[in-house]
Amino acid sequence: HAQAYTPEEMQQLLEHTQETAALLADGIRGGDVSVSPAQVGQWSACQWCSYAAVCGLDPTRPGCTKRVLPQLDRQELLARLANDKGEGD
């Protein structure tokens, strides 16, 4: 039985997602079109990407690697969100 997030926790997740999306969009507008899909454990963003066959992901090319992200449980995620918010204030 998974615990649901509270409305406040969902708001934190939404704000973090919006900030991350804005940073990524700024990077793309600035010319960063590097190929670096996320990977968490055995899950990879490539599994869900419509462009996986044409994106050019070639680990033998410099700078062309997956971004390996840590698997976080609920408490670790919320702690990181709280720390990130504290640093930006």
Short mmCIF file of all heavy atoms in Angstrom, two decimals, residues 11-60:
data_model
loop_
_atom_site.label_atom_id
_atom_site.label_comp_id
_atom_site.label_asym_id
_atom_site.label_seq_id
_atom_site.Cartn_x
_atom_site.Cartn_y
_atom_site.Cartn_z
N GLN A 11 2.25 20.07 -4.23
CA GLN A 11 2.57 21.43 -4.66
C GLN A 11 4.07 21.61 -4.79
O GLN A 11 4.56 22.20 -5.75
CB GLN A 11 1.98 22.47 -3.70
CG GLN A 11 2.18 23.90 -4.14
CD GLN A 11 1.48 24.21 -5.45
OE1 GLN A 11 0.39 23.73 -5.72
NE2 GLN A 11 2.12 25.02 -6.28
N GLN A 12 4.84 21.06 -3.83
CA GLN A 12 6.31 21.12 -3.91
C GLN A 12 6.81 20.40 -5.16
O GLN A 12 7.70 20.91 -5.85
CB GLN A 12 6.94 20.46 -2.68
CG GLN A 12 6.93 21.29 -1.44
CD GLN A 12 7.64 20.54 -0.31
OE1 GLN A 12 7.22 19.45 0.06
NE2 GLN A 12 8.70 21.13 0.19
N LEU A 13 6.26 19.24 -5.43
CA LEU A 13 6.67 18.47 -6.62
C LEU A 13 6.35 19.25 -7.89
O LEU A 13 7.16 19.31 -8.82
CB LEU A 13 5.97 17.11 -6.64
CG LEU A 13 6.49 16.08 -5.66
CD1 LEU A 13 5.53 14.90 -5.56
CD2 LEU A 13 7.87 15.61 -6.07
N LEU A 14 5.16 19.85 -7.94
CA LEU A 14 4.76 20.62 -9.10
C LEU A 14 5.68 21.82 -9.31
O LEU A 14 6.13 22.08 -10.44
CB LEU A 14 3.31 21.09 -8.95
CG LEU A 14 2.76 21.96 -10.08
CD1 LEU A 14 2.79 21.22 -11.41
CD2 LEU A 14 1.35 22.42 -9.76
N GLU A 15 5.98 22.54 -8.25
CA GLU A 15 6.87 23.70 -8.37
C GLU A 15 8.26 23.29 -8.84
O GLU A 15 8.85 23.95 -9.70
CB GLU A 15 6.95 24.44 -7.03
CG GLU A 15 5.68 25.18 -6.68
CD GLU A 15 5.68 25.77 -5.28
OE1 GLU A 15 6.74 25.74 -4.61
OE2 GLU A 15 4.62 26.28 -4.86
N HIS A 16 8.78 22.20 -8.28
CA HIS A 16 10.10 21.71 -8.69
C HIS A 16 10.08 21.31 -10.17
O HIS A 16 11.00 21.63 -10.92
CB HIS A 16 10.51 20.52 -7.83
CG HIS A 16 11.81 19.91 -8.25
ND1 HIS A 16 13.02 20.50 -7.99
CD2 HIS A 16 12.07 18.77 -8.96
CE1 HIS A 16 13.99 19.75 -8.50
NE2 HIS A 16 13.44 18.70 -9.10
N THR A 17 9.01 20.64 -10.60
CA THR A 17 8.89 20.22 -11.99
C THR A 17 8.84 21.42 -12.92
O THR A 17 9.50 21.44 -13.97
CB THR A 17 7.63 19.35 -12.16
OG1 THR A 17 7.74 18.21 -11.29
CG2 THR A 17 7.47 18.87 -13.58
N GLN A 18 8.09 22.43 -12.54
CA GLN A 18 8.00 23.64 -13.37
C GLN A 18 9.35 24.35 -13.46
O GLN A 18 9.74 24.82 -14.54
CB GLN A 18 6.93 24.58 -12.82
CG GLN A 18 5.53 24.05 -13.01
CD GLN A 18 4.47 24.87 -12.31
OE1 GLN A 18 4.72 25.46 -11.25
NE2 GLN A 18 3.27 24.90 -12.87
N GLU A 19 10.07 24.43 -12.35
CA GLU A 19 11.39 25.07 -12.36
C GLU A 19 12.36 24.28 -13.24
O GLU A 19 13.13 24.87 -14.01
CB GLU A 19 11.93 25.18 -10.93
CG GLU A 19 11.19 26.17 -10.07
CD GLU A 19 11.56 26.07 -8.59
OE1 GLU A 19 12.54 25.36 -8.25
OE2 GLU A 19 10.87 26.70 -7.78
N THR A 20 12.32 22.96 -13.12
CA THR A 20 13.21 22.12 -13.92
C THR A 20 12.88 22.25 -15.40
O THR A 20 13.79 22.39 -16.23
CB THR A 20 13.09 20.65 -13.47
OG1 THR A 20 13.47 20.56 -12.09
CG2 THR A 20 14.00 19.75 -14.30
N ALA A 21 11.60 22.25 -15.74
CA ALA A 21 11.19 22.39 -17.14
C ALA A 21 11.65 23.74 -17.70
O ALA A 21 12.12 23.84 -18.84
CB ALA A 21 9.68 22.24 -17.27
N ALA A 22 11.55 24.80 -16.90
CA ALA A 22 11.98 26.12 -17.35
C ALA A 22 13.49 26.15 -17.59
O ALA A 22 13.96 26.71 -18.59
CB ALA A 22 11.59 27.18 -16.32
N LEU A 23 14.26 25.52 -16.69
CA LEU A 23 15.71 25.47 -16.87
C LEU A 23 16.09 24.68 -18.13
O LEU A 23 16.97 25.09 -18.89
CB LEU A 23 16.38 24.84 -15.65
CG LEU A 23 16.40 25.68 -14.38
CD1 LEU A 23 16.89 24.85 -13.19
CD2 LEU A 23 17.25 26.92 -14.57
N LEU A 24 15.40 23.57 -18.35
CA LEU A 24 15.67 22.77 -19.56
C LEU A 24 15.32 23.55 -20.82
O LEU A 24 16.07 23.54 -21.80
CB LEU A 24 14.90 21.45 -19.50
CG LEU A 24 15.38 20.44 -18.47
CD1 LEU A 24 14.39 19.29 -18.34
CD2 LEU A 24 16.76 19.93 -18.81
N ALA A 25 14.19 24.24 -20.80
CA ALA A 25 13.78 25.04 -21.97
C ALA A 25 14.78 26.15 -22.24
O ALA A 25 15.14 26.41 -23.40
CB ALA A 25 12.38 25.61 -21.74
N ASP A 26 15.26 26.81 -21.18
CA ASP A 26 16.27 27.86 -21.35
C ASP A 26 17.54 27.27 -21.97
O ASP A 26 18.15 27.90 -22.84
CB ASP A 26 16.61 28.52 -20.01
CG ASP A 26 15.51 29.43 -19.51
OD1 ASP A 26 14.61 29.79 -20.30
OD2 ASP A 26 15.55 29.77 -18.31
N GLY A 27 17.93 26.09 -21.52
CA GLY A 27 19.11 25.44 -22.08
C GLY A 27 18.94 25.13 -23.55
O GLY A 27 19.85 25.37 -24.36
N ILE A 28 17.79 24.63 -23.93
CA ILE A 28 17.52 24.31 -25.34
C ILE A 28 17.54 25.58 -26.17
O ILE A 28 18.15 25.62 -27.25
CB ILE A 28 16.19 23.55 -25.48
CG1 ILE A 28 16.32 22.15 -24.86
CG2 ILE A 28 15.77 23.46 -26.94
CD1 ILE A 28 15.00 21.42 -24.69
N ARG A 29 16.87 26.63 -25.67
CA ARG A 29 16.88 27.91 -26.40
C ARG A 29 18.30 28.46 -26.53
O ARG A 29 18.63 29.15 -27.49
CB ARG A 29 15.99 28.93 -25.71
CG ARG A 29 14.52 28.73 -25.98
CD ARG A 29 13.69 29.92 -25.52
NE ARG A 29 13.69 30.08 -24.08
CZ ARG A 29 12.81 29.51 -23.26
NH1 ARG A 29 11.87 28.75 -23.73
NH2 ARG A 29 12.88 29.72 -21.96
N GLY A 30 19.15 28.13 -25.55
CA GLY A 30 20.54 28.58 -25.58
C GLY A 30 21.45 27.70 -26.43
O GLY A 30 22.64 27.94 -26.51
N GLY A 31 20.88 26.65 -27.03
CA GLY A 31 21.66 25.81 -27.94
C GLY A 31 22.08 24.46 -27.38
O GLY A 31 22.74 23.69 -28.07
N ASP A 32 21.72 24.14 -26.14
CA ASP A 32 22.09 22.83 -25.58
C ASP A 32 21.10 21.78 -26.05
O ASP A 32 19.97 21.70 -25.57
CB ASP A 32 22.10 22.88 -24.06
CG ASP A 32 22.49 21.54 -23.43
OD1 ASP A 32 22.87 20.61 -24.17
OD2 ASP A 32 22.43 21.44 -22.20
N VAL A 33 21.52 21.00 -27.01
CA VAL A 33 20.69 19.91 -27.53
C VAL A 33 21.43 18.58 -27.36
O VAL A 33 21.33 17.67 -28.17
CB VAL A 33 20.28 20.13 -29.00
CG1 VAL A 33 19.31 21.29 -29.13
CG2 VAL A 33 21.51 20.36 -29.87
N SER A 34 22.19 18.50 -26.26
CA SER A 34 22.96 17.29 -26.01
C SER A 34 22.03 16.10 -25.79
O SER A 34 20.89 16.23 -25.36
CB SER A 34 23.85 17.48 -24.78
OG SER A 34 23.07 17.79 -23.65
N VAL A 35 22.54 14.94 -26.13
CA VAL A 35 21.81 13.69 -25.96
C VAL A 35 22.23 13.11 -24.61
O VAL A 35 23.34 12.62 -24.46
CB VAL A 35 22.12 12.71 -27.10
CG1 VAL A 35 21.37 11.41 -26.89
CG2 VAL A 35 21.77 13.32 -28.45
N SER A 36 21.34 13.21 -23.61
CA SER A 36 21.66 12.70 -22.28
C SER A 36 20.39 12.28 -21.55
O SER A 36 19.96 12.93 -20.61
CB SER A 36 22.44 13.74 -21.47
OG SER A 36 21.65 14.89 -21.29
N PRO A 37 19.77 11.20 -22.02
CA PRO A 37 18.53 10.75 -21.38
C PRO A 37 18.77 10.28 -19.94
O PRO A 37 19.85 9.82 -19.60
CB PRO A 37 18.07 9.60 -22.25
CG PRO A 37 19.31 9.10 -22.91
CD PRO A 37 20.19 10.30 -23.08
N ALA A 38 17.74 10.42 -19.14
CA ALA A 38 17.82 10.01 -17.73
C ALA A 38 17.69 8.49 -17.60
O ALA A 38 17.00 7.84 -18.38
CB ALA A 38 16.73 10.68 -16.92
N GLN A 39 18.37 7.97 -16.57
CA GLN A 39 18.24 6.56 -16.23
C GLN A 39 18.21 6.45 -14.71
O GLN A 39 19.02 7.06 -14.02
CB GLN A 39 19.40 5.74 -16.78
CG GLN A 39 19.28 4.27 -16.43
CD GLN A 39 20.23 3.40 -17.21
OE1 GLN A 39 20.68 3.77 -18.29
NE2 GLN A 39 20.52 2.25 -16.68
N VAL A 40 17.23 5.69 -14.20
CA VAL A 40 17.10 5.43 -12.77
C VAL A 40 17.01 3.92 -12.62
O VAL A 40 16.03 3.32 -13.05
CB VAL A 40 15.85 6.10 -12.17
CG1 VAL A 40 15.72 5.77 -10.69
CG2 VAL A 40 15.88 7.60 -12.39
N GLY A 41 18.05 3.34 -12.04
CA GLY A 41 18.07 1.89 -11.92
C GLY A 41 18.02 1.25 -13.30
O GLY A 41 18.78 1.62 -14.19
N GLN A 42 17.09 0.36 -13.50
CA GLN A 42 16.93 -0.30 -14.80
C GLN A 42 16.01 0.48 -15.74
O GLN A 42 15.92 0.18 -16.92
CB GLN A 42 16.36 -1.72 -14.61
CG GLN A 42 17.30 -2.64 -13.86
CD GLN A 42 18.64 -2.80 -14.58
OE1 GLN A 42 18.69 -3.07 -15.77
NE2 GLN A 42 19.73 -2.61 -13.85
N TRP A 43 15.32 1.51 -15.23
CA TRP A 43 14.42 2.31 -16.05
C TRP A 43 15.21 3.35 -16.82
O TRP A 43 16.11 3.99 -16.29
CB TRP A 43 13.40 3.02 -15.16
CG TRP A 43 12.46 3.89 -15.93
CD1 TRP A 43 11.28 3.53 -16.49
CD2 TRP A 43 12.65 5.27 -16.26
NE1 TRP A 43 10.71 4.60 -17.14
CE2 TRP A 43 11.54 5.68 -17.01
CE3 TRP A 43 13.65 6.20 -15.99
CZ2 TRP A 43 11.39 6.98 -17.48
CZ3 TRP A 43 13.51 7.48 -16.48
CH2 TRP A 43 12.38 7.87 -17.21
N SER A 44 14.87 3.55 -18.08
CA SER A 44 15.51 4.56 -18.91
C SER A 44 14.45 5.37 -19.64
O SER A 44 13.44 4.82 -20.09
CB SER A 44 16.44 3.89 -19.93
OG SER A 44 16.92 4.85 -20.85
N ALA A 45 14.70 6.66 -19.80
CA ALA A 45 13.77 7.52 -20.53
C ALA A 45 13.63 7.04 -21.97
O ALA A 45 12.59 7.27 -22.60
CB ALA A 45 14.26 8.96 -20.50
N CYS A 46 14.62 6.36 -22.48
CA CYS A 46 14.58 5.86 -23.86
C CYS A 46 13.43 4.88 -24.07
O CYS A 46 12.93 4.73 -25.19
CB CYS A 46 15.90 5.19 -24.23
SG CYS A 46 17.31 6.32 -24.23
N GLN A 47 13.00 4.22 -23.01
CA GLN A 47 11.91 3.27 -23.11
C GLN A 47 10.60 3.95 -23.52
O GLN A 47 9.72 3.30 -24.07
CB GLN A 47 11.69 2.56 -21.77
CG GLN A 47 12.86 1.66 -21.38
CD GLN A 47 12.73 1.19 -19.95
OE1 GLN A 47 12.85 1.98 -19.01
NE2 GLN A 47 12.49 -0.09 -19.77
N TRP A 48 10.46 5.23 -23.23
CA TRP A 48 9.22 5.95 -23.49
C TRP A 48 9.34 6.97 -24.61
O TRP A 48 8.38 7.65 -24.95
CB TRP A 48 8.76 6.65 -22.21
CG TRP A 48 8.53 5.67 -21.12
CD1 TRP A 48 9.39 5.34 -20.11
CD2 TRP A 48 7.39 4.85 -20.93
NE1 TRP A 48 8.86 4.37 -19.31
CE2 TRP A 48 7.62 4.05 -19.80
CE3 TRP A 48 6.19 4.70 -21.62
CZ2 TRP A 48 6.69 3.13 -19.34
CZ3 TRP A 48 5.27 3.79 -21.13
CH2 TRP A 48 5.53 3.02 -20.02
N CYS A 49 10.51 7.10 -25.18
CA CYS A 49 10.77 8.16 -26.15
C CYS A 49 10.42 7.73 -27.57
O CYS A 49 10.86 6.70 -28.05
CB CYS A 49 12.24 8.56 -26.07
SG CYS A 49 12.69 9.87 -27.22
N SER A 50 9.65 8.57 -28.24
CA SER A 50 9.28 8.30 -29.63
C SER A 50 10.45 8.49 -30.59
O SER A 50 10.40 8.06 -31.74
CB SER A 50 8.15 9.25 -30.06
OG SER A 50 7.03 9.07 -29.23
N TYR A 51 11.52 9.15 -30.14
CA TYR A 51 12.64 9.47 -31.00
C TYR A 51 13.88 8.62 -30.69
O TYR A 51 14.96 8.90 -31.18
CB TYR A 51 13.01 10.95 -30.87
CG TYR A 51 11.85 11.84 -31.22
CD1 TYR A 51 11.07 12.42 -30.23
CD2 TYR A 51 11.52 12.07 -32.55
CE1 TYR A 51 9.98 13.22 -30.56
CE2 TYR A 51 10.43 12.87 -32.88
CZ TYR A 51 9.67 13.44 -31.89
OH TYR A 51 8.60 14.21 -32.22
N ALA A 52 13.73 7.58 -29.91
CA ALA A 52 14.87 6.76 -29.49
C ALA A 52 15.65 6.22 -30.68
O ALA A 52 16.87 6.12 -30.63
CB ALA A 52 14.40 5.62 -28.59
N ALA A 53 14.96 5.90 -31.77
CA ALA A 53 15.63 5.32 -32.93
C ALA A 53 16.45 6.35 -33.72
O ALA A 53 17.34 5.97 -34.48
CB ALA A 53 14.61 4.67 -33.85
N VAL A 54 16.18 7.62 -33.53
CA VAL A 54 16.86 8.64 -34.34
C VAL A 54 17.61 9.69 -33.53
O VAL A 54 18.16 10.62 -34.09
CB VAL A 54 15.86 9.36 -35.28
CG1 VAL A 54 15.31 8.41 -36.30
CG2 VAL A 54 14.76 10.05 -34.50
N CYS A 55 17.65 9.56 -32.21
CA CYS A 55 18.21 10.63 -31.39
C CYS A 55 19.73 10.72 -31.46
O CYS A 55 20.30 11.75 -31.17
CB CYS A 55 17.79 10.48 -29.94
SG CYS A 55 18.68 9.21 -29.04
N GLY A 56 20.38 9.65 -31.80
CA GLY A 56 21.83 9.69 -31.91
C GLY A 56 22.56 9.29 -30.64
O GLY A 56 23.74 9.58 -30.50
N LEU A 57 21.88 8.65 -29.70
CA LEU A 57 22.55 8.22 -28.48
C LEU A 57 23.60 7.17 -28.83
O LEU A 57 23.30 6.07 -29.26
CB LEU A 57 21.55 7.63 -27.48
CG LEU A 57 22.16 7.12 -26.18
CD1 LEU A 57 22.79 8.27 -25.40
CD2 LEU A 57 21.12 6.44 -25.32
N ASP A 58 24.83 7.57 -28.69
CA ASP A 58 25.96 6.68 -28.99
C ASP A 58 26.97 6.87 -27.87
O ASP A 58 27.73 7.84 -27.86
CB ASP A 58 26.58 7.03 -30.34
CG ASP A 58 27.77 6.17 -30.70
OD1 ASP A 58 28.17 5.30 -29.89
OD2 ASP A 58 28.33 6.37 -31.79
N PRO A 59 26.99 5.94 -26.89
CA PRO A 59 27.87 6.10 -25.73
C PRO A 59 29.35 6.19 -26.07
O PRO A 59 30.14 6.59 -25.23
CB PRO A 59 27.60 4.85 -24.89
CG PRO A 59 26.35 4.26 -25.42
CD PRO A 59 26.18 4.76 -26.82
N THR A 60 29.74 5.86 -27.29
CA THR A 60 31.15 5.96 -27.65
C THR A 60 31.54 7.40 -28.03
O THR A 60 32.72 7.71 -28.12
CB THR A 60 31.50 5.02 -28.82
OG1 THR A 60 30.76 5.41 -29.99
CG2 THR A 60 31.18 3.57 -28.46
#
